[in-house]
Amino acid sequence: MKRTRFAILLVAAATLAGCVAVQPYQRGYLAREDMALEANPGTMKALEKTYSAKEAASGGASVGGGGCGCN
Amino acid sequence: MAATDRDGSALAALVHAALALPILALPAKAGAAAVGEVGVTLLGYKERGLMKITEPVIWGRVQFAEVWEVQASAAVDIITGASPQLVSNALGKPVQTITGASISDRRNTGDLKVTRRFGDLALSASRTLSKEEDYHSKAFGLEARLDLNQRNTTIAAGYGKSNDRILSADDPNLNERRDTREYLAGVTQVISPTSLVQSTITWARGTGWYNDPYKLTFTFFDAGLPILAPDRRPDHRDTLAWLTRYRAHFPAAHGTLQADYRFYRDDWGIRAHTLEVAWQQELNERWALRPALRYYTQDAADFYSPTVPRPQPPVQSSDQRLGAWGGVSPSLRATWRLDRLTLEATLGYVHNARNLRFGGGGADAFETLRAWYGIVGATHSF
């Protein structure tokens, strides 16, 4: 757990240290669809179904998604 | 002239969309009373010799009155084929055996999420329902997102709860609960005009029934009678998942790097790493291709064992999903856009095997899984 906390702090520090203030008019590229953090909801659901039923790991992106009796 | 107008309008739309970053997923449109998308998606998944899944999904999201966003989806999972039920060492080494008739299951699920913005703060509430013959789930989530630093930074916090009911198609007396509370904390940071990163952690504390009513372990010993043991797992599970996602656009190459990494651990002893790297290449105004490679590796749960140990422990499972293994999954997605219509097709392959575990040492009893999947979808924006 200590190593996890250390890694979280390291990533946070490295990320914030490398940032510059990006003005609204400079965000054209950030608004591109391929810069979205997630695919559209339909594709996300399909991918989640493909992997989550076979893997022990899950979660990380959101809360309140509920469970399933995937075999 | 017409082209210039179109370019100007596209630029205006892009700037308005950029102003909405990073908190809202939907691009804003100047003067529009409502802006949104509706889509249909179909998943086809087929394992070699085992299960087949078909999942149609319909979804939509809309922003209106500048401060409201509503997102909803509904899906049906149609599952047919065979599911491994028994791990036995009758032939020497423990192997998975498909027993019983082919299964057929259907799961209906739907969710609704409503978001309201108050300046730089956005509050969301969500509800998810899922029902299948042997599993019912009701969940809700609350989430708050706050934009800081001229919207270069967004912090998020969330709470969720799910109440699940576990039944069995084989045992009409089984009716058990599983309750899970989830917590989320995250930050999204714009790094430069062409890159951003998001890091999110979710913790979950679950209590209740985790046993799989369909899994059995049948173990023969050198001396004495064999034991047929049902799946027995702890009655609680605390998990931590840490997901970091990075996006970087390379204007000269007309391509975008998408990299996701998730670290997962739980108090069952499982540690897992998931890494997916994709490159979305714009071929022209209409076509884009996205090759991706996903790698997954996990350790075994403390109570995983393909045979029943002696003396028999209170918790033991031979379910290979709790064993040590790894998997690779390459995929290719093609996207075609015309005005407000986007068509998408993804073809992927899944190969899970014991020798793909990072560092080796995968579970000997792990049965290699090979599967193909295809996803096709259409999205209409308005």
Side-chain angles (χ1 to χ4, degrees):
Chain A
M1 198 62 189
K2 277 184 183 171
R3 275 190 301 182
T4 307
R5 283 183 193 150
F6 177 72
I8 292 167
L9 288 173
L10 193 67
V11 167
T15 303
L16 293 173
C19 298
V20 294
V22 176
Q23 300 303 315
Y25 61 84
Q26 294 178 301
R27 296 187 186 181
Y29 291 125
L30 298 173
R32 292 172 56 90
E33 275 185 33
D34 53 8
M35 290 292 283
L37 292 162
E38 292 183 346
N40 70 56
T43 303
M44 283 300 293
K45 268 196 188 303
L47 289 171
E48 190 184 312
K49 183 72 194 171
T50 299
Y51 295 112
S52 66
K54 301 295 166 191
E55 298 173 351
S58 61
S62 63
V63 290
C68 81
C70 309
N71 298 309
Chain B
M1 188 62 189
T4 308
D5 285 347
R6 203 162 51 239
D7 291 345
S9 147
L11 183 63
L14 207 56
V15 169
H16 281 286
L19 289 171
L21 276 174
I23 200 163
L24 293 175
L26 281 173
K29 284 182 185 166
V35 54
E37 295 174 301
V38 289
V40 290
T41 306
L42 180 68
L43 162 72
Y45 170 89
K46 175 83 175 75
E47 293 171 357
R48 189 188 286 182
L50 293 172
M51 310 251 277
K52 186 178 162 187
I53 301 170
T54 307
E55 182 187 60
V57 185
I58 181 164
W59 60 272
R61 52 188 176 190
V62 61
Q63 275 177 20
F64 57 95
E66 296 191 347
V67 292
W68 288 97
E69 181 178 341
V70 176
Q71 180 175 320
S73 76
V76 180
D77 296 343
I78 301 154
I79 303 157
T80 55
S83 179
Q85 290 189 311
L86 183 76
V87 174
S88 169
N89 65 349
L91 300 174
K93 63 177 259 193
V95 291
Q96 275 195 148
T97 312
I98 314 293
T99 57
S102 149
I103 64 164
S104 175
D105 196 8
R106 183 185 165 118
R107 170 176 174 249
N108 299 315
T109 178
D111 58 67
L112 176 71
K113 184 175 185 179
V114 179
T115 302
R116 169 75 158 88
R117 281 194 79 161
F118 301 89
D120 289 332
L121 176 69
L123 299 177
S124 304
S126 63
R127 180 74 165 154
T128 304
L129 300 174
S130 171
K131 190 170 185 182
E132 53 200 298
E133 183 188 1
D134 52 6
Y135 201 98
H136 303 170
S137 179
K138 294 177 183 174
F140 75 84
L142 300 171
E143 213 170 288
R145 292 183 180 270
L146 180 64
D147 290 337
L148 303 168
N149 186 24
Q150 295 179 304
R151 293 195 175 169
N152 283 290
T153 306
T154 302
I155 56 172
Y159 170 74
K161 190 168 187 292
S162 67
N163 300 112
D164 298 357
R165 184 66 69 173
I166 297 95
L167 312 165
S168 168
D170 297 341
D171 179 4
N173 295 319
L174 181 66
N175 188 339
E176 298 284 350
R177 288 182 63 153
R178 184 190 303 165
D179 299 316
T180 311
R181 291 171 192 273
E182 300 170 281
Y183 307 89
L184 174 146
V187 59
T188 306
Q189 178 65 48
V190 172
I191 300 171
S192 74
T194 56
S195 62
L196 59 91
V197 65
Q198 182 185 69
S199 203
T200 311
I201 294 179
T202 57
W203 299 264
R205 300 184 70 101
T207 55
W209 183 269
Y210 284 91
N211 306 339
D212 189 325
Y214 304 111
K215 304 288 185 200
L216 296 163
T217 311
F218 196 24
T219 300
F220 292 82
F221 301 97
D222 293 335
L225 293 171
I227 293 178
L228 180 63
D231 188 270
R232 288 286 176 263
R233 306 179 188 196
D235 61 1
H236 58 87
R237 190 177 194 183
D238 292 351
T239 68
L240 180 149
W242 177 22
L243 173 67
T244 301
R245 303 189 271 204
Y246 174 72
R247 301 288 179 269
H249 182 66
F250 295 84
H254 303 288
T256 298
L257 174 69
Q258 305 172 342
D260 295 5
Y261 167 73
R262 181 181 65 190
F263 169 70
Y264 170 93
R265 59 178 289 165
D266 63 29
D267 62 353
W268 288 3
I270 296 170
R271 306 283 181 276
H273 304 268
T274 312
L275 177 66
E276 177 165 353
V277 179
W279 176 263
Q280 178 137 339
Q281 180 65 51
E282 198 175 274
L283 301 178
N284 54 43
E285 282 187 359
R286 291 189 178 172
W287 285 95
L289 279 180
R290 180 185 180 273
L293 185 65
R294 183 181 190 274
Y295 175 69
Y296 176 83
T297 181
Q298 74 173 50
D299 296 339
D302 298 333
F303 55 88
Y304 167 78
S305 174
T307 55
V308 181
R310 268 182 164 171
Q312 191 173 352
V315 288
Q316 179 266 328
S317 173
S318 59
D319 185 347
Q320 71 167 13
R321 293 173 297 184
L322 300 174
W325 56 275
V328 291
S329 179
S331 65
L332 181 66
R333 181 179 303 156
T335 306
W336 182 81
R337 290 188 186 85
L338 180 63
D339 296 331
R340 295 178 173 188
L341 179 69
T342 303
L343 302 179
E344 213 176 76
T346 307
L347 183 66
Y349 179 67
V350 179
H351 180 197
N352 297 340
R354 64 172 177 268
N355 59 8
L356 289 173
R357 177 176 178 263
F358 185 73
D364 287 339
F366 189 90
E367 194 79 33
T368 299
L369 180 138
R370 293 183 176 87
W372 284 95
Y373 69 88
I375 302 168
V376 290
T379 304
H380 176 74
S381 56
F382 55 88

